Amino acid sequence: MKMAHLITNCTFSASPAVKTFSGSPSYCCNVGKLQNSKSLNLSLKSSSKREKKSYVTCASAAVQGQTQTPLTGSQEASGHSSSKPKKVMVIGGDGYCGWATALHLSNKGYEVAIVDNLVRRLFDHQLGLDSLTPITSIQNRIRRWKSLTGKTIQLFIGDICDFDFLSEAFKSFEPDAAVHFGEQRSAPYSMIDRSRAVYTQHNNVIGTLNVLFAIKEYSEECHLVKLGTMGEYGTPNIDIEEGFITITHNGRTDTLPYPKQASSFYHLSKVHDSHNIAFTCKAWGIRATDLNQGVVYGVRTDETAMHEELSNRFDYDGVFGTALNRFCVQAAVGHPLTVYGKGGQTRGYLDIRDTVQCVELAIANPAKPGEFRVFNQFTEQFSVNDLAKLVTAAGAKLGLDVHTKSVPNPRVEAEEHYYNAKHTKLIELGLVPHLLSDSLLDSLLNFAVQYKDRVDNAQIMPSVSWKKMGAKPRTVSV
């Protein structure tokens, strides 16, 4: 007879005790140190060989001092009660976008639970990387948030590729909305070698499938807010619409999903996610919003700035660092800005403060049952050369001698191209963008200067080549 899976509700005290149960390997971090590191040697084997047992670790479900969140007409029509805060599960809530989003939603009066296996911390451990900002353990983060605001965030530690674990989390928390950040999110990481390409696609596609099945089986009214990527579209020589395009062919007209031209194994996993979500909306009546996000920059939100233990990640390396963040760190330490190839690569960009705002807007205005919505989530478009010029000018005002150099492009991509993507739907819902300004660039550069002693110059240059992928995992010696 199959044993029931256990859930423990535990309020974090001054001396945290992470409770785990036998079975799946424990991805638990305490005070910034990885525990059970041998079991965390990420061989990236197929999950079919994993045991079916699971564990859940969570904080107290009681939420004190939260304000009621007004519901829209569509929320009331969907049966959500206005007598209590909406419950939002943030999958991947220990990561860059997820952590900022979890705090923002909690601060706005939502009842929040984080689901995470903490594997992003493991990637740093394996590759010898580190955030520019010191990052404390997830338990310390949540305790600090509680002490500052009186608000509790539940924590479920486990792997969403383990459906038994995910099922227990859904049944325990009963979310009204699930915000899904729980994917390997780096294109370069997916291109390091075969095992990491396989891991990325397995983790992302199977994890998302599990979330869809959990919604279907345990929380049919739950609204899925999924972080997609503008990288699904590639760089077509026509305008990029928001998810769908109306075409006329041989005299007949139809509205179809916008063509996908993914440029890495990571982006391809997101394309597959989108197809699976669209299918389940049609087949099962799931309500879903796919947020095709551009490149995010910045580090601080109102919530993460409240205390140093709430600080967000700030990645500057060639694997996880995004362009503007990397350029600011390079300028701070006197390293030339690394422009890949001709530098004409143009993408949509947005401030991390707008990421959390967009997610909140999507939750407050949910999709209808059976509806698959796609929003292009960015606020401005820049080429890599544009960003380099902006950082150079901002650095000069601060007395920094900033130079730019072209380096061989490690990616396979067009380095000069047409790019015009639509992004009106979130504006129509009320998004008030934080546009890239001189003051924001000054803030980012000053932040990078503040922590420049933590920069590892060996991690600045790109180390992953799309054309020279390795056959075996490359990890650091411990």
Side-chain angles (χ1 to χ4, degrees):
M1 183 174 66
K2 185 177 181 180
M3 295 182 65
H5 294 283
L6 299 177
I7 282 187
T8 178
N9 289 323
C10 50
T11 303
F12 288 127
S13 62
S15 178
V18 177
K19 299 181 181 294
T20 62
F21 302 94
S22 62
S24 300
S26 171
Y27 296 122
C28 298
C29 292
N30 186 19
V31 197
K33 295 181 180 180
L34 286 166
Q35 298 177 345
N36 195 13
S37 60
K38 289 184 179 180
S39 70
L40 292 181
N41 183 17
L42 191 60
S43 60
L44 313 178
K45 295 179 180 179
S46 169
S47 66
S48 64
K49 297 181 180 179
R50 298 176 183 174
E51 295 183 36
K52 294 298 182 180
K53 298 177 183 178
S54 65
Y55 59 88
V56 175
T57 303
C58 60
S60 169
V63 179
Q64 304 295 330
Q66 289 189 335
T67 58
Q68 178 175 313
T69 303
L71 301 182
T72 65
S74 58
Q75 289 171 322
E76 292 173 352
S78 67
H80 292 300
S81 170
S82 61
S83 63
K84 60 181 181 179
K86 284 188 71 174
K87 302 173 75 172
V88 181
M89 176 181 285
V90 181
I91 302 170
D94 188 46
Y96 175 53
C97 292
W99 176 242
T101 299
L103 293 190
H104 178 78
L105 294 175
S106 178
N107 204 31
K108 291 292 185 178
Y110 292 87
E111 185 174 341
V112 175
I114 286 175
V115 174
D116 205 300
N117 64 358
L118 311 184
V119 74
R120 177 63 185 83
R121 297 171 184 254
L122 172 62
F123 295 160
D124 278 358
H125 180 70
Q126 288 186 317
L127 298 175
L129 309 176
D130 201 358
S131 166
L132 180 71
T133 49
I135 302 298
T136 189
S137 70
I138 185 63
Q139 293 87 355
N140 285 345
R141 282 176 150 188
I142 290 175
R143 278 201 308 275
R144 178 59 64 185
W145 179 248
K146 172 74 173 180
S147 71
L148 291 172
T149 67
K151 300 177 186 295
T152 299
I153 294 177
Q154 291 191 47
L155 175 63
F156 297 86
I157 296 179
D159 188 348
I160 64 171
C161 287
D162 178 350
F163 188 68
D164 290 334
F165 158 76
L166 186 63
S167 299
E168 295 296 342
F170 261 79
K171 288 186 287 186
S172 173
F173 187 65
E174 299 179 332
D176 299 306
V179 181
H180 185 13
F181 293 112
E183 298 192 309
Q184 193 296 101
R185 58 92 170 167
S186 165
Y189 186 89
S190 75
M191 301 299 293
I192 291 175
D193 49 46
R194 182 204 60 80
S195 62
R196 288 181 172 91
V198 171
Y199 172 81
T200 297
Q201 296 222 348
H202 179 270
N203 180 80
N204 294 2
V205 176
I206 302 304
T208 299
L209 270 175
N210 280 348
V211 171
L212 292 167
F213 272 93
I215 291 173
K216 177 180 183 291
E217 296 185 22
Y218 305 112
S219 190
E220 290 186 349
E221 289 299 314
C222 180
H223 174 210
L224 174 61
V225 180
K226 168 69 164 61
L227 191 73
T229 172
M230 290 295 295
E232 291 189 26
Y233 300 121
T235 54
N237 198 39
I238 58 173
D239 291 353
I240 298 173
E241 306 297 331
E242 297 200 66
F244 300 89
I245 186 170
T246 299
I247 61 173
T248 298
H249 179 65
N250 289 342
R252 301 185 67 84
T253 299
D254 202 354
T255 298
L256 302 169
Y258 196 95
K260 312 291 187 180
Q261 299 183 69
S263 59
S264 73
F265 289 121
Y266 155 73
H267 291 104
L268 285 162
S269 75
K270 305 292 266 193
V271 170
H272 205 143
D273 286 341
S274 295
H275 291 322
N276 283 341
I277 297 169
F279 171 73
T280 55
C281 286
K282 182 185 297 184
W284 301 340
I286 285 176
R287 58 179 81 222
T289 302
D290 202 3
L291 300 175
N292 281 344
Q293 184 167 254
V295 183
V296 186
Y297 59 82
V299 64
R300 290 189 176 180
T301 62
D302 290 344
E303 292 78 21
T304 64
M306 290 171 63
H307 193 279
E308 61 182 6
E309 285 193 324
L310 301 180
S311 292
N312 205 351
R313 298 191 61 88
F314 194 110
D315 296 306
Y316 63 89
D317 59 88
V319 176
F320 291 102
T322 55
L324 185 57
N325 285 354
R326 287 193 300 107
F327 282 177
C328 287
V329 170
Q330 290 168 9
V333 299
H335 191 287
L337 309 188
T338 53
V339 172
Y340 293 174
K342 296 179 180 179
Q345 303 92 322
T346 302
R347 302 291 186 270
Y349 288 80
L350 77 162
D351 191 302
I352 185 66
R353 293 173 293 178
D354 290 339
T355 290
V356 301
Q357 188 185 171
C358 290
V359 172
E360 184 189 1
L361 285 169
I363 294 170
N365 301 274
K368 299 174 183 178
E371 182 183 9
F372 174 62
R373 304 185 304 186
V374 180
F375 298 161
N376 289 345
Q377 184 170 298
F378 69 95
T379 56
E380 298 177 274
Q381 294 180 174
F382 298 103
S383 71
V384 175
N385 286 329
D386 291 336
L387 294 180
K389 291 176 183 177
L390 289 169
V391 172
T392 299
K397 293 179 182 178
L398 298 178
L400 299 174
D401 187 17
V402 183
H403 298 281
T404 298
K405 74 172 182 178
S406 175
V407 300
N409 192 347
R411 305 186 178 212
V412 176
E413 61 184 357
E415 296 178 0
E416 294 177 318
H417 55 84
Y418 177 80
Y419 197 84
N420 184 38
K422 306 295 180 61
H423 57 113
T424 61
K425 293 181 180 178
L426 284 162
I427 298 294
E428 292 168 358
L429 288 180
L431 173 64
V432 181
H434 295 83
L435 301 180
L436 185 58
S437 62
D438 290 343
S439 61
L440 177 61
L441 279 171
D442 289 349
S443 175
L444 276 174
L445 284 167
N446 279 313
F447 193 85
V449 170
Q450 177 185 352
Y451 289 100
K452 69 178 183 178
D453 289 343
R454 290 177 52 84
V455 174
D456 179 2
N457 287 347
Q459 301 297 340
I460 289 178
M461 294 297 290
S463 60
V464 180
S465 171
W466 266 229
K467 292 183 178 181
K468 299 178 182 178
M469 290 183 67
K472 297 180 180 180
R474 294 196 296 270
T475 60
V476 298
S477 299
V478 179

Short mmCIF file of all heavy atoms in Angstrom, two decimals, residues 4 28 368 440:
data_model
loop_
_atom_site.label_atom_id
_atom_site.label_comp_id
_atom_site.label_asym_id
_atom_site.label_seq_id
_atom_site.Cartn_x
_atom_site.Cartn_y
_atom_site.Cartn_z
N ALA A 4 1.10 7.64 2.49
CA ALA A 4 0.71 9.02 2.23
C ALA A 4 1.93 9.93 2.37
O ALA A 4 2.79 9.72 3.20
CB ALA A 4 -0.36 9.45 3.23
N CYS A 28 18.23 21.77 -0.12
CA CYS A 28 17.99 22.71 0.96
C CYS A 28 19.23 23.52 1.25
O CYS A 28 20.32 22.98 1.34
CB CYS A 28 17.55 21.99 2.23
SG CYS A 28 16.01 21.11 2.04
N LYS A 368 -9.90 34.13 -18.83
CA LYS A 368 -11.15 33.39 -18.65
C LYS A 368 -10.88 31.88 -18.75
O LYS A 368 -9.86 31.47 -19.31
CB LYS A 368 -12.15 33.81 -19.73
CG LYS A 368 -12.52 35.28 -19.71
CD LYS A 368 -13.40 35.66 -20.89
CE LYS A 368 -13.69 37.14 -20.90
NZ LYS A 368 -14.51 37.53 -22.09
N LEU A 440 18.44 56.14 -13.22
CA LEU A 440 18.47 54.70 -12.97
C LEU A 440 19.85 54.13 -13.31
O LEU A 440 20.38 53.29 -12.57
CB LEU A 440 17.39 53.99 -13.78
CG LEU A 440 17.39 52.46 -13.63
CD1 LEU A 440 17.14 52.06 -12.19
CD2 LEU A 440 16.35 51.83 -14.54
#
